[in-house]
Amino acid sequence: MIITVAGFKGGIGKTTTAVHLAAYFAQASETVLLVDGDPNQFALNWGRRGDLPFQVCSLMAAPKASQGKEHIIIDTEGNPDKAEIEEFSAGSDLVVLPCTADSMAIEAVLNAVDSLSALQSYGVALTMVDSRQRGTIEQAREALEGAGIPVFKQSIRRFVAYQKAALEGVPVNRVSDSYARIAWGEYVALGKEVMSHA
């Protein structure tokens, strides 16, 4: 399965989502690859700081590294244009679009709705949400679904545990934090949805 993780705005948890979807798939398979296609190399640097349970490579190294891999997750450069979105669709089984519940992030996705029509299979994952703002989350979901954009049921809350995980170079389930188990559980639930959509 090839999953592309793309975003139309910075600061939406794109790399965090790519890392944790790869970690989810790595629970059941030893042949998982995370391809870092973002020039900032956030995923590669995350892996260099610690020990991820899957292989991480650059976009240039992907053709060789992807041989024999059961699951490939691609972390892309932010704000793709229509041609790039069409390439994602052609080269992926599913495109996951992380998006925060704030108005600017929602607007960025809504502005791309014409481009998104080129995707064969995709869904928006609401990320970095504040659970105290339940109404905002539901408004975001309604705005996206009202425009015909599919949204995953599982949202991902904002936890400091993710910052710890990135600094330690591990998935969130390997950090010492009282919310680490909850954070990981949300990505497991999202991973199950991703599996069922692909």
Side-chain angles (χ1 to χ4, degrees):
M1 178 183 301
I2 301 173
I3 298 165
T4 296
V5 182
F8 296 100
K9 182 180 172 296
I12 55 170
K14 181 173 61 67
T15 299
T16 299
T17 297
V19 165
H20 287 90
L21 287 177
Y24 168 76
F25 286 109
Q27 293 180 118
S29 174
E30 294 181 3
T31 57
V32 176
L33 175 68
L34 174 56
V35 177
D36 191 342
D38 191 323
N40 295 309
Q41 297 192 331
F42 293 131
L44 275 166
N45 290 332
W46 192 319
R48 288 175 182 139
R49 285 190 290 272
D51 182 28
L52 292 171
F54 49 83
Q55 182 183 353
V56 185
C57 76
S58 69
L59 190 60
M60 294 301 291
K64 186 173 182 179
S66 63
Q67 294 177 13
K69 296 297 188 285
E70 183 178 2
H71 300 291
I72 300 170
I73 291 82
I74 304 167
D75 183 17
T76 64
E77 183 174 3
N79 203 16
D81 60 28
K82 186 170 184 177
E84 289 170 319
I85 290 171
E86 289 172 357
E87 288 176 12
F88 297 162
S89 183
S92 307
D93 297 304
L94 177 70
V95 177
V96 176
L97 301 165
C99 178
T100 56
D102 67 273
S103 60
M104 288 190 296
I106 298 297
E107 187 175 334
V109 175
L110 292 174
N111 287 341
V113 71
D114 290 339
S115 299
L116 294 176
S117 64
L119 295 176
Q120 294 177 13
S121 183
Y122 75 99
V124 169
L126 290 172
T127 55
M128 301 176 67
V129 301
D130 186 338
S131 57
R132 297 168 298 180
Q133 298 178 343
R134 198 75 199 147
T136 304
I137 299 164
E138 292 311 314
Q139 285 178 333
R141 185 178 297 279
E142 288 171 12
L144 293 165
E145 290 176 344
I149 298 170
V151 182
F152 291 105
K153 291 178 184 175
Q154 180 63 54
S155 58
I156 305 297
R157 287 178 283 176
R158 181 190 306 267
F159 290 115
V160 173
Y162 292 120
Q163 296 169 11
K164 292 180 181 179
L167 288 170
E168 294 178 25
V170 296
V172 73
N173 61 338
R174 294 190 182 179
V175 297
S176 177
D177 186 279
S178 57
Y179 289 99
R181 180 183 286 182
I182 296 168
W184 174 242
E186 292 182 352
Y187 269 111
V188 168
L190 179 62
K192 289 177 180 176
E193 280 192 78
V194 165
M195 282 286 286
S196 69
H197 279 73

Coordinates of all heavy atoms in Angstrom, one line a residue, residues 8 79-89 97 108-120 122 149:
F8 N -1.9 21.6 2.7 CA -2.0 22.9 1.9 C -1.5 24.0 2.8 O -1.7 25.2 2.4 CB -3.4 23.1 1.5 CG -3.8 22.1 0.5 CD1 -4.6 21.0 0.8 CD2 -3.4 22.2 -0.9 CE1 -5.0 20.0 -0.1 CE2 -3.8 21.2 -1.8 CZ -4.6 20.1 -1.4
N79 N 1.8 22.5 0.4 CA 1.1 23.3 -0.6 C 1.3 22.9 -2.0 O 1.8 23.6 -2.9 CB 1.5 24.8 -0.4 CG 0.5 25.7 -1.0 OD1 -0.7 25.4 -1.2 ND2 0.9 27.0 -1.2
P80 N 0.8 21.6 -2.3 CA 1.0 21.1 -3.7 C 0.1 21.9 -4.7 O -1.0 22.3 -4.3 CB 0.6 19.7 -3.6 CG -0.4 19.7 -2.4 CD 0.1 20.7 -1.5
D81 N 0.5 21.9 -5.9 CA -0.3 22.5 -7.0 C -1.1 21.4 -7.6 O -1.0 20.2 -7.3 CB 0.5 23.3 -8.0 CG 1.5 22.4 -8.7 OD1 1.3 21.2 -8.8 OD2 2.6 22.9 -9.2
K82 N -2.0 21.7 -8.6 CA -2.9 20.8 -9.2 C -2.1 19.6 -9.8 O -2.5 18.5 -9.7 CB -3.8 21.5 -10.2 CG -4.9 20.5 -10.7 CD -5.9 21.3 -11.5 CE -7.0 20.3 -11.9 NZ -8.1 21.0 -12.6
A83 N -1.0 19.9 -10.5 CA -0.3 18.9 -11.2 C 0.3 17.9 -10.2 O 0.3 16.7 -10.4 CB 0.8 19.5 -12.0
E84 N 0.8 18.4 -9.1 CA 1.4 17.5 -8.0 C 0.3 16.6 -7.4 O 0.5 15.5 -7.2 CB 2.0 18.3 -7.0 CG 3.3 19.0 -7.4 CD 3.9 20.0 -6.4 OE1 3.1 20.8 -5.8 OE2 5.1 20.0 -6.2
I85 N -0.9 17.2 -7.2 CA -2.0 16.4 -6.7 C -2.4 15.3 -7.6 O -2.7 14.2 -7.2 CB -3.2 17.4 -6.4 CG1 -2.9 18.3 -5.2 CG2 -4.5 16.5 -6.1 CD1 -3.9 19.4 -5.0
E86 N -2.4 15.6 -8.9 CA -2.7 14.5 -9.9 C -1.6 13.4 -9.9 O -1.9 12.2 -10.0 CB -2.8 15.1 -11.3 CG -4.0 16.0 -11.5 CD -4.0 16.7 -12.8 OE1 -3.0 16.7 -13.6 OE2 -5.1 17.4 -13.1
E87 N -0.3 13.8 -9.6 CA 0.7 12.8 -9.5 C 0.5 12.0 -8.2 O 0.8 10.8 -8.3 CB 2.1 13.5 -9.5 CG 2.5 14.1 -10.8 CD 3.8 14.9 -10.8 OE1 4.5 14.8 -9.7 OE2 4.1 15.6 -11.7
F88 N 0.1 12.6 -7.1 CA -0.2 11.9 -5.9 C -1.2 10.8 -6.2 O -1.0 9.7 -5.7 CB -0.7 12.8 -4.8 CG 0.2 13.9 -4.3 CD1 -0.3 15.0 -3.6 CD2 1.6 13.8 -4.5 CE1 0.5 16.0 -3.2 CE2 2.4 14.9 -4.1 CZ 1.9 15.9 -3.4
S89 N -2.2 11.2 -6.9 CA -3.3 10.2 -7.2 C -2.8 9.1 -8.0 O -3.2 7.9 -7.7 CB -4.5 11.0 -7.9 OG -5.5 10.1 -8.1
L97 N -4.8 13.9 4.0 CA -4.6 15.4 4.0 C -4.8 15.9 5.5 O -5.9 16.1 5.9 CB -5.6 16.1 3.1 CG -5.5 15.7 1.6 CD1 -6.7 16.2 0.9 CD2 -4.2 16.3 1.0
A108 N -7.8 26.7 3.2 CA -6.8 26.3 2.3 C -7.2 25.0 1.6 O -7.0 24.8 0.4 CB -5.4 26.0 3.0
V109 N -7.9 24.1 2.3 CA -8.4 22.8 1.8 C -9.6 23.1 0.8 O -9.7 22.6 -0.3 CB -8.8 21.8 2.9 CG1 -9.4 20.6 2.2 CG2 -7.5 21.4 3.7
L110 N -10.5 24.0 1.3 CA -11.6 24.3 0.5 C -11.2 25.0 -0.8 O -11.9 24.8 -1.9 CB -12.6 25.2 1.3 CG -13.3 24.6 2.5 CD1 -14.1 25.6 3.3 CD2 -14.2 23.4 2.1
N111 N -10.2 25.8 -0.8 CA -9.7 26.5 -2.0 C -9.1 25.5 -3.0 O -9.0 25.8 -4.2 CB -8.7 27.5 -1.7 CG -9.3 28.8 -1.0 OD1 -10.5 29.0 -1.1 ND2 -8.5 29.5 -0.3
A112 N -8.7 24.3 -2.5 CA -8.1 23.3 -3.4 C -9.2 22.2 -3.8 O -8.8 21.2 -4.4 CB -7.0 22.6 -2.6
V113 N -10.4 22.5 -3.5 CA -11.5 21.4 -3.8 C -11.5 21.0 -5.3 O -11.7 19.9 -5.6 CB -12.8 21.9 -3.3 CG1 -13.4 23.0 -4.1 CG2 -13.8 20.7 -3.2
D114 N -11.3 22.0 -6.2 CA -11.3 21.6 -7.6 C -10.1 20.7 -7.9 O -10.2 19.7 -8.7 CB -11.2 22.8 -8.5 CG -12.5 23.6 -8.4 OD1 -13.5 23.1 -8.1 OD2 -12.4 24.9 -8.7
S115 N -8.9 20.9 -7.3 CA -7.8 20.1 -7.5 C -8.0 18.7 -6.9 O -7.6 17.7 -7.4 CB -6.5 20.7 -6.9 OG -6.3 22.0 -7.5
L116 N -8.7 18.7 -5.8 CA -8.9 17.4 -5.0 C -9.7 16.5 -5.8 O -9.7 15.3 -5.6 CB -9.5 17.7 -3.7 CG -8.6 18.4 -2.7 CD1 -9.4 18.7 -1.4 CD2 -7.3 17.6 -2.4
S117 N -10.5 17.0 -6.8 CA -11.4 16.1 -7.6 C -10.6 15.2 -8.4 O -11.1 14.2 -8.9 CB -12.3 17.0 -8.4 OG -11.6 17.7 -9.4
A118 N -9.3 15.5 -8.6 CA -8.4 14.6 -9.4 C -8.0 13.4 -8.6 O -7.5 12.4 -9.2 CB -7.2 15.4 -9.8
L119 N -8.2 13.4 -7.3 CA -7.8 12.3 -6.5 C -8.8 11.2 -6.5 O -10.0 11.4 -6.4 CB -7.6 12.7 -5.0 CG -6.5 13.8 -4.7 CD1 -6.5 14.2 -3.3 CD2 -5.1 13.2 -5.1
Q120 N -8.3 10.0 -6.7 CA -9.2 8.8 -6.7 C -9.6 8.4 -5.3 O -10.8 8.0 -5.1 CB -8.5 7.6 -7.4 CG -8.2 7.9 -8.9 CD -7.4 6.8 -9.5 OE1 -7.3 5.7 -9.0 NE2 -6.9 7.0 -10.7
Y122 N -9.0 9.7 -1.2 CA -8.4 10.6 -0.3 C -9.3 10.9 0.9 O -10.5 10.6 0.9 CB -7.9 11.9 -0.9 CG -9.1 12.9 -1.2 CD1 -9.4 13.9 -0.4 CD2 -9.9 12.7 -2.3 CE1 -10.4 14.8 -0.6 CE2 -10.9 13.6 -2.6 CZ -11.2 14.6 -1.7 OH -12.2 15.5 -2.0
I149 N -15.9 16.9 0.7 CA -14.6 16.4 1.0 C -14.7 15.4 2.1 O -15.2 15.7 3.2 CB -13.6 17.6 1.4 CG1 -13.5 18.6 0.3 CG2 -12.3 17.1 1.9 CD1 -12.8 19.9 0.7

